PDB file of all heavy atoms in Angstrom:
ATOM      1  N   TYR A   1      97.778 100.692 117.792  1.00  0.00           N
ATOM      2  CA  TYR A   1      98.037 100.204 119.153  1.00  0.00           C
ATOM      3  C   TYR A   1      99.455  99.679 119.347  1.00  0.00           C
ATOM      4  O   TYR A   1      99.797  99.223 120.432  1.00  0.00           O
ATOM      5  CB  TYR A   1      97.024  99.115 119.509  1.00  0.00           C
ATOM      6  CG  TYR A   1      95.626  99.674 119.593  1.00  0.00           C
ATOM      7  CD1 TYR A   1      94.689  99.454 118.586  1.00  0.00           C
ATOM      8  CD2 TYR A   1      95.249 100.466 120.666  1.00  0.00           C
ATOM      9  CE1 TYR A   1      93.430  99.990 118.651  1.00  0.00           C
ATOM     10  CE2 TYR A   1      93.980 101.003 120.747  1.00  0.00           C
ATOM     11  CZ  TYR A   1      93.079 100.755 119.746  1.00  0.00           C
ATOM     12  OH  TYR A   1      91.826 101.302 119.811  1.00  0.00           O
ATOM     13  N   ASN A   2     100.266  99.727 118.292  1.00  0.00           N
ATOM     14  CA  ASN A   2     101.670  99.320 118.350  1.00  0.00           C
ATOM     15  C   ASN A   2     101.807  97.886 118.872  1.00  0.00           C
ATOM     16  O   ASN A   2     102.547  97.611 119.823  1.00  0.00           O
ATOM     17  CB  ASN A   2     102.479 100.291 119.224  1.00  0.00           C
ATOM     18  CG  ASN A   2     103.964 100.136 119.007  1.00  0.00           C
ATOM     19  OD1 ASN A   2     104.397  99.682 117.949  1.00  0.00           O
ATOM     20  ND2 ASN A   2     104.740 100.483 120.013  1.00  0.00           N
ATOM     21  N   VAL A   3     101.058  96.978 118.248  1.00  0.00           N
ATOM     22  CA  VAL A   3     101.102  95.563 118.597  1.00  0.00           C
ATOM     23  C   VAL A   3     101.299  94.749 117.327  1.00  0.00           C
ATOM     24  O   VAL A   3     101.194  95.257 116.225  1.00  0.00           O
ATOM     25  CB  VAL A   3      99.788  95.104 119.312  1.00  0.00           C
ATOM     26  CG1 VAL A   3      99.674  95.768 120.676  1.00  0.00           C
ATOM     27  CG2 VAL A   3      98.580  95.367 118.467  1.00  0.00           C
ATOM     28  N   SER A   4     101.597  93.464 117.494  1.00  0.00           N
ATOM     29  CA  SER A   4     101.811  92.607 116.336  1.00  0.00           C
ATOM     30  C   SER A   4     100.486  92.123 115.759  1.00  0.00           C
ATOM     31  O   SER A   4      99.430  92.239 116.406  1.00  0.00           O
ATOM     32  CB  SER A   4     102.669  91.388 116.739  1.00  0.00           C
ATOM     33  OG  SER A   4     101.911  90.528 117.543  1.00  0.00           O
ATOM     34  N   TRP A   5     100.549  91.538 114.581  1.00  0.00           N
ATOM     35  CA  TRP A   5      99.317  91.036 113.945  1.00  0.00           C
ATOM     36  C   TRP A   5      98.732  89.891 114.754  1.00  0.00           C
ATOM     37  O   TRP A   5      97.523  89.694 114.767  1.00  0.00           O
ATOM     38  CB  TRP A   5      99.594  90.630 112.498  1.00  0.00           C
ATOM     39  CG  TRP A   5     100.533  89.458 112.363  1.00  0.00           C
ATOM     40  CD1 TRP A   5     101.887  89.518 112.235  1.00  0.00           C
ATOM     41  CD2 TRP A   5     100.188  88.079 112.352  1.00  0.00           C
ATOM     42  NE1 TRP A   5     102.408  88.250 112.145  1.00  0.00           N
ATOM     43  CE2 TRP A   5     101.380  87.347 112.207  1.00  0.00           C
ATOM     44  CE3 TRP A   5      99.003  87.370 112.441  1.00  0.00           C
ATOM     45  CZ2 TRP A   5     101.426  85.966 112.168  1.00  0.00           C
ATOM     46  CZ3 TRP A   5      99.044  86.000 112.384  1.00  0.00           C
ATOM     47  CH2 TRP A   5     100.232  85.305 112.253  1.00  0.00           C
ATOM     48  N   ARG A   6      99.581  89.137 115.459  1.00  0.00           N
ATOM     49  CA  ARG A   6      99.066  88.039 116.294  1.00  0.00           C
ATOM     50  C   ARG A   6      98.185  88.568 117.414  1.00  0.00           C
ATOM     51  O   ARG A   6      97.150  87.988 117.730  1.00  0.00           O
ATOM     52  CB  ARG A   6     100.227  87.242 116.873  1.00  0.00           C
ATOM     53  CG  ARG A   6     100.932  86.376 115.871  1.00  0.00           C
ATOM     54  CD  ARG A   6     102.012  85.527 116.555  1.00  0.00           C
ATOM     55  NE  ARG A   6     102.671  84.671 115.616  1.00  0.00           N
ATOM     56  CZ  ARG A   6     103.760  84.981 114.945  1.00  0.00           C
ATOM     57  NH1 ARG A   6     104.327  86.156 115.124  1.00  0.00           N
ATOM     58  NH2 ARG A   6     104.303  84.130 114.096  1.00  0.00           N
ATOM     59  N   THR A   7      98.619  89.667 118.051  1.00  0.00           N
ATOM     60  CA  THR A   7      97.839  90.258 119.134  1.00  0.00           C
ATOM     61  C   THR A   7      96.500  90.755 118.610  1.00  0.00           C
ATOM     62  O   THR A   7      95.454  90.571 119.252  1.00  0.00           O
ATOM     63  CB  THR A   7      98.612  91.407 119.791  1.00  0.00           C
ATOM     64  OG1 THR A   7      99.887  90.904 120.235  1.00  0.00           O
ATOM     65  CG2 THR A   7      97.868  91.981 120.961  1.00  0.00           C
ATOM     66  N   VAL A   8      96.508  91.397 117.449  1.00  0.00           N
ATOM     67  CA  VAL A   8      95.259  91.875 116.853  1.00  0.00           C
ATOM     68  C   VAL A   8      94.345  90.707 116.550  1.00  0.00           C
ATOM     69  O   VAL A   8      93.148  90.736 116.852  1.00  0.00           O
ATOM     70  CB  VAL A   8      95.536  92.710 115.584  1.00  0.00           C
ATOM     71  CG1 VAL A   8      94.240  93.083 114.888  1.00  0.00           C
ATOM     72  CG2 VAL A   8      96.328  93.959 115.928  1.00  0.00           C
ATOM     73  N   ARG A   9      94.892  89.645 115.997  1.00  0.00           N
ATOM     74  CA  ARG A   9      94.076  88.468 115.667  1.00  0.00           C
ATOM     75  C   ARG A   9      93.480  87.853 116.927  1.00  0.00           C
ATOM     76  O   ARG A   9      92.319  87.505 116.966  1.00  0.00           O
ATOM     77  CB  ARG A   9      94.977  87.446 114.926  1.00  0.00           C
ATOM     78  CG  ARG A   9      94.347  86.091 114.648  1.00  0.00           C
ATOM     79  CD  ARG A   9      93.054  86.110 113.866  1.00  0.00           C
ATOM     80  NE  ARG A   9      93.158  86.811 112.627  1.00  0.00           N
ATOM     81  CZ  ARG A   9      92.104  87.292 111.965  1.00  0.00           C
ATOM     82  NH1 ARG A   9      90.884  87.122 112.427  1.00  0.00           N
ATOM     83  NH2 ARG A   9      92.249  87.935 110.845  1.00  0.00           N
ATOM     84  N   LYS A  10      94.273  87.726 117.988  1.00  0.00           N
ATOM     85  CA  LYS A  10      93.769  87.165 119.247  1.00  0.00           C
ATOM     86  C   LYS A  10      92.668  88.050 119.830  1.00  0.00           C
ATOM     87  O   LYS A  10      91.684  87.559 120.374  1.00  0.00           O
ATOM     88  CB  LYS A  10      94.904  87.024 120.259  1.00  0.00           C
ATOM     89  CG  LYS A  10      95.845  85.896 119.966  1.00  0.00           C
ATOM     90  CD  LYS A  10      96.953  85.855 121.009  1.00  0.00           C
ATOM     91  CE  LYS A  10      98.007  84.822 120.671  1.00  0.00           C
ATOM     92  NZ  LYS A  10      99.106  84.826 121.665  1.00  0.00           N
ATOM     93  N   ALA A  11      92.860  89.380 119.744  1.00  0.00           N
ATOM     94  CA  ALA A  11      91.863  90.295 120.293  1.00  0.00           C
ATOM     95  C   ALA A  11      90.560  90.213 119.527  1.00  0.00           C
ATOM     96  O   ALA A  11      89.462  90.271 120.110  1.00  0.00           O
ATOM     97  CB  ALA A  11      92.397  91.722 120.263  1.00  0.00           C
ATOM     98  N   VAL A  12      90.621  90.069 118.213  1.00  0.00           N
ATOM     99  CA  VAL A  12      89.415  89.990 117.390  1.00  0.00           C
ATOM    100  C   VAL A  12      88.712  88.648 117.603  1.00  0.00           C
ATOM    101  O   VAL A  12      87.482  88.571 117.655  1.00  0.00           O
ATOM    102  CB  VAL A  12      89.776  90.197 115.895  1.00  0.00           C
ATOM    103  CG1 VAL A  12      88.591  89.892 115.005  1.00  0.00           C
ATOM    104  CG2 VAL A  12      90.248  91.624 115.690  1.00  0.00           C
ATOM    105  N   ASP A  13      89.476  87.576 117.769  1.00  0.00           N
ATOM    106  CA  ASP A  13      88.894  86.243 117.924  1.00  0.00           C
ATOM    107  C   ASP A  13      88.344  85.972 119.316  1.00  0.00           C
ATOM    108  O   ASP A  13      87.402  85.196 119.452  1.00  0.00           O
ATOM    109  CB  ASP A  13      89.955  85.166 117.605  1.00  0.00           C
ATOM    110  CG  ASP A  13      90.292  85.138 116.126  1.00  0.00           C
ATOM    111  OD1 ASP A  13      89.525  85.718 115.326  1.00  0.00           O
ATOM    112  OD2 ASP A  13      91.332  84.545 115.782  1.00  0.00           O
ATOM    113  N   SER A  14      88.922  86.567 120.352  1.00  0.00           N
ATOM    114  CA  SER A  14      88.540  86.237 121.720  1.00  0.00           C
ATOM    115  C   SER A  14      88.288  87.488 122.535  1.00  0.00           C
ATOM    116  O   SER A  14      89.001  88.494 122.398  1.00  0.00           O
ATOM    117  CB  SER A  14      89.649  85.418 122.374  1.00  0.00           C
ATOM    118  OG  SER A  14      89.371  85.216 123.741  1.00  0.00           O
ATOM    119  N   ALA A  15      87.276  87.447 123.402  1.00  0.00           N
ATOM    120  CA  ALA A  15      86.965  88.607 124.237  1.00  0.00           C
ATOM    121  C   ALA A  15      87.953  88.768 125.377  1.00  0.00           C
ATOM    122  O   ALA A  15      88.193  89.873 125.844  1.00  0.00           O
ATOM    123  CB  ALA A  15      85.559  88.468 124.804  1.00  0.00           C
ATOM    124  N   TRP A  16      88.556  87.677 125.833  1.00  0.00           N
ATOM    125  CA  TRP A  16      89.489  87.727 126.968  1.00  0.00           C
ATOM    126  C   TRP A  16      90.872  87.269 126.532  1.00  0.00           C
ATOM    127  O   TRP A  16      91.018  86.320 125.777  1.00  0.00           O
ATOM    128  CB  TRP A  16      89.003  86.808 128.096  1.00  0.00           C
ATOM    129  CG  TRP A  16      87.724  87.261 128.671  1.00  0.00           C
ATOM    130  CD1 TRP A  16      86.490  86.784 128.384  1.00  0.00           C
ATOM    131  CD2 TRP A  16      87.530  88.315 129.601  1.00  0.00           C
ATOM    132  NE1 TRP A  16      85.529  87.460 129.077  1.00  0.00           N
ATOM    133  CE2 TRP A  16      86.147  88.410 129.845  1.00  0.00           C
ATOM    134  CE3 TRP A  16      88.390  89.188 130.261  1.00  0.00           C
ATOM    135  CZ2 TRP A  16      85.602  89.335 130.723  1.00  0.00           C
ATOM    136  CZ3 TRP A  16      87.848  90.108 131.134  1.00  0.00           C
ATOM    137  CH2 TRP A  16      86.477  90.187 131.362  1.00  0.00           C
ATOM    138  N   PRO A  17      91.910  87.938 127.036  1.00  0.00           N
ATOM    139  CA  PRO A  17      93.274  87.475 126.757  1.00  0.00           C
ATOM    140  C   PRO A  17      93.545  86.145 127.444  1.00  0.00           C
ATOM    141  O   PRO A  17      92.870  85.777 128.406  1.00  0.00           O
ATOM    142  CB  PRO A  17      94.162  88.564 127.330  1.00  0.00           C
ATOM    143  CG  PRO A  17      93.306  89.417 128.180  1.00  0.00           C
ATOM    144  CD  PRO A  17      91.884  89.148 127.824  1.00  0.00           C
ATOM    145  N   GLU A  18      94.527  85.413 126.949  1.00  0.00           N
ATOM    146  CA  GLU A  18      94.909  84.148 127.553  1.00  0.00           C
ATOM    147  C   GLU A  18      95.444  84.391 128.956  1.00  0.00           C
ATOM    148  O   GLU A  18      96.119  85.388 129.197  1.00  0.00           O
ATOM    149  CB  GLU A  18      96.003  83.480 126.722  1.00  0.00           C
ATOM    150  CG  GLU A  18      95.582  83.106 125.322  1.00  0.00           C
ATOM    151  CD  GLU A  18      96.755  82.581 124.516  1.00  0.00           C
ATOM    152  OE1 GLU A  18      97.889  82.529 125.035  1.00  0.00           O
ATOM    153  OE2 GLU A  18      96.522  82.226 123.363  1.00  0.00           O
ATOM    154  N   PRO A  19      95.152  83.485 129.891  1.00  0.00           N
ATOM    155  CA  PRO A  19      95.712  83.668 131.246  1.00  0.00           C
ATOM    156  C   PRO A  19      97.237  83.524 131.205  1.00  0.00           C
ATOM    157  O   PRO A  19      97.793  82.848 130.344  1.00  0.00           O
ATOM    158  CB  PRO A  19      95.078  82.553 132.058  1.00  0.00           C
ATOM    159  CG  PRO A  19      94.599  81.564 131.074  1.00  0.00           C
ATOM    160  CD  PRO A  19      94.333  82.302 129.787  1.00  0.00           C
ATOM    161  N   ARG A  20      97.890  84.158 132.171  1.00  0.00           N
ATOM    162  CA  ARG A  20      99.344  84.078 132.242  1.00  0.00           C
ATOM    163  C   ARG A  20      99.789  82.672 132.595  1.00  0.00           C
ATOM    164  O   ARG A  20      99.136  81.978 133.350  1.00  0.00           O
ATOM    165  CB  ARG A  20      99.885  85.025 133.315  1.00  0.00           C
ATOM    166  CG  ARG A  20      99.822  86.456 132.904  1.00  0.00           C
ATOM    167  CD  ARG A  20     100.396  87.319 133.997  1.00  0.00           C
ATOM    168  NE  ARG A  20     100.697  88.609 133.430  1.00  0.00           N
ATOM    169  CZ  ARG A  20     101.779  89.316 133.705  1.00  0.00           C
ATOM    170  NH1 ARG A  20     102.633  88.854 134.578  1.00  0.00           N
ATOM    171  NH2 ARG A  20     101.965  90.475 133.158  1.00  0.00           N
ATOM    172  N   LYS A  21     100.918  82.282 132.079  1.00  0.00           N
ATOM    173  CA  LYS A  21     101.494  80.976 132.384  1.00  0.00           C
ATOM    174  C   LYS A  21     102.141  81.052 133.765  1.00  0.00           C
ATOM    175  O   LYS A  21     102.784  82.033 134.124  1.00  0.00           O
ATOM    176  CB  LYS A  21     102.565  80.610 131.373  1.00  0.00           C
ATOM    177  CG  LYS A  21     102.067  80.405 129.987  1.00  0.00           C
ATOM    178  CD  LYS A  21     103.208  80.088 129.063  1.00  0.00           C
ATOM    179  CE  LYS A  21     102.752  80.031 127.623  1.00  0.00           C
ATOM    180  NZ  LYS A  21     103.878  79.857 126.707  1.00  0.00           N
ATOM    181  N   ASN A  22     101.999  79.980 134.550  1.00  0.00           N
ATOM    182  CA  ASN A  22     102.702  79.871 135.824  1.00  0.00           C
ATOM    183  C   ASN A  22     104.048  79.244 135.561  1.00  0.00           C
ATOM    184  O   ASN A  22     104.137  78.088 135.156  1.00  0.00           O
ATOM    185  CB  ASN A  22     101.894  79.038 136.808  1.00  0.00           C
ATOM    186  CG  ASN A  22     100.663  79.752 137.280  1.00  0.00           C
ATOM    187  OD1 ASN A  22     100.625  80.968 137.310  1.00  0.00           O
ATOM    188  ND2 ASN A  22      99.651  79.006 137.660  1.00  0.00           N
ATOM    189  N   LEU A  23     105.102  80.010 135.781  1.00  0.00           N
ATOM    190  CA  LEU A  23     106.441  79.514 135.552  1.00  0.00           C
ATOM    191  C   LEU A  23     106.932  78.763 136.783  1.00  0.00           C
ATOM    192  O   LEU A  23     106.576  79.108 137.910  1.00  0.00           O
ATOM    193  CB  LEU A  23     107.371  80.683 135.256  1.00  0.00           C
ATOM    194  CG  LEU A  23     107.038  81.499 134.014  1.00  0.00           C
ATOM    195  CD1 LEU A  23     107.988  82.675 133.889  1.00  0.00           C
ATOM    196  CD2 LEU A  23     107.141  80.632 132.770  1.00  0.00           C
ATOM    197  N   PRO A  24     107.766  77.768 136.585  1.00  0.00           N
ATOM    198  CA  PRO A  24     108.319  77.051 137.751  1.00  0.00           C
ATOM    199  C   PRO A  24     109.258  77.986 138.518  1.00  0.00           C
ATOM    200  O   PRO A  24     109.864  78.897 137.924  1.00  0.00           O
ATOM    201  CB  PRO A  24     109.097  75.897 137.123  1.00  0.00           C
ATOM    202  CG  PRO A  24     109.381  76.316 135.724  1.00  0.00           C
ATOM    203  CD  PRO A  24     108.253  77.224 135.319  1.00  0.00           C
ATOM    204  N   PRO A  25     109.378  77.808 139.829  1.00  0.00           N
ATOM    205  CA  PRO A  25     110.259  78.674 140.602  1.00  0.00           C
ATOM    206  C   PRO A  25     111.703  78.520 140.167  1.00  0.00           C
ATOM    207  O   PRO A  25     112.150  77.413 139.862  1.00  0.00           O
ATOM    208  CB  PRO A  25     110.063  78.213 142.050  1.00  0.00           C
ATOM    209  CG  PRO A  25     109.390  76.899 141.964  1.00  0.00           C
ATOM    210  CD  PRO A  25     108.696  76.821 140.636  1.00  0.00           C
ATOM    211  N   ARG A  26     112.394  79.639 140.103  1.00  0.00           N
ATOM    212  CA  ARG A  26     113.801  79.611 139.686  1.00  0.00           C
ATOM    213  C   ARG A  26     114.708  79.285 140.860  1.00  0.00           C
ATOM    214  O   ARG A  26     114.406  79.626 141.989  1.00  0.00           O
ATOM    215  CB  ARG A  26     114.192  80.978 139.122  1.00  0.00           C
ATOM    216  CG  ARG A  26     113.691  81.197 137.744  1.00  0.00           C
ATOM    217  CD  ARG A  26     114.381  82.396 137.152  1.00  0.00           C
ATOM    218  NE  ARG A  26     113.449  83.492 137.148  1.00  0.00           N
ATOM    219  CZ  ARG A  26     113.762  84.753 136.938  1.00  0.00           C
ATOM    220  NH1 ARG A  26     115.007  85.068 136.732  1.00  0.00           N
ATOM    221  NH2 ARG A  26     112.863  85.682 136.942  1.00  0.00           N
TER     222      ARG A  26
END
């Protein structure tokens, strides 16, 4: 899947990806 080991670990551990962070307006 051309992803890092962290992404694979997160996918195996959790059914849903983390929600996106809301960045402050620039």
